[in-house]
Amino acid sequence: MILNYSDQKVINSKKSIFLAGPLPRKKEIKNWKDDVLKYLKELKYDGVVYIPEKRNHQIIEGDADQTNWEMEAMNHSKVLLFWIPRSFPDMLGLTTNVEFGIWLSSGKILYGRPDDAYMIEYLDLVYDKYYHKKPYNNLFELVKEAVKINN
């Protein structure tokens, strides 16, 4: 597995997963991406994982370089894995909503969220409308499907 962070050049690969979803803004909030990377390792995934944060886990919102990197990486991705553990007030995922809308008709989105995600019904409805699927409510199952699509 190759980890491609936003402070690195985007690696072009036929096997690729972009991790989309809200990031914690406080150190005491668990980063769901750590679990995704653990699951990908368990599943022996051997493609690229685009991680939209810097290697030191710094996130700079409104940064043009960050935004350009994300758009390029999403464009190259085979799967856009959206996990949206939305909670108020710490993990709203407002940028995630925009990205979800931009890429909805791409056919590349896999979407999931925990059952207790805050105000997520609209995303559930449009995902079902475009993909004829219910969202995943289990992160491991979502990751497993992303790996399956990449094989």
Side-chain angles (χ1 to χ4, degrees), residues 3 23 33 39 45 56 64 70 73 83 102 111 119 130 137:
L3 305 182
L23 294 171
K33 290 182 175 146
Y39 297 149
Y45 175 69
N56 66 2
E70 289 182 20
W83 180 252
I102 289 170
Y111 162 60
M119 295 191 73
Y130 277 78
N137 65 356

Side-chain angles (χ1 to χ4, degrees), residues 2 7 11 40 44 46 52 57-58 63 84-85 105 120 126 145 148:
I2 301 167
D7 55 351
I11 299 167
L40 288 169
K44 297 178 177 32
D46 62 352
H57 304 293
Q58 181 184 12
D63 176 79
I84 307 178
S105 62
I120 205 83
V126 295
E145 183 64 20
K148 180 180 167 188

Side-chain angles (χ1 to χ4, degrees), residues 14-27:
K14 289 182 181 176
K15 283 183 157 184
S16 54
I17 299 169
F18 183 95
L19 304 185
L23 294 171
R25 303 295 189 239
K26 298 176 185 173
K27 291 185 190 282

Side-chain angles (χ1 to χ4, degrees), residues 8-39:
Q8 300 171 311
K9 184 177 177 356
V10 172
I11 299 167
N12 194 2
S13 174
K14 289 182 181 176
K15 283 183 157 184
S16 54
I17 299 169
F18 183 95
L19 304 185
L23 294 171
R25 303 295 189 239
K26 298 176 185 173
K27 291 185 190 282
E28 61 271 10
I29 299 173
K30 184 173 175 14
N31 191 336
W32 59 271
K33 290 182 175 146
D34 296 337
D35 287 336
V36 171
L37 295 176
K38 179 181 79 170
Y39 297 149

Side-chain angles (χ1 to χ4, degrees), residues 54-69:
K54 305 211 179 316
R55 282 173 282 189
N56 66 2
H57 304 293
Q58 181 184 12
I59 302 157
I60 303 171
E61 288 203 53
D63 176 79
D65 289 338
Q66 175 74 24
T67 302
N68 290 336
W69 183 92

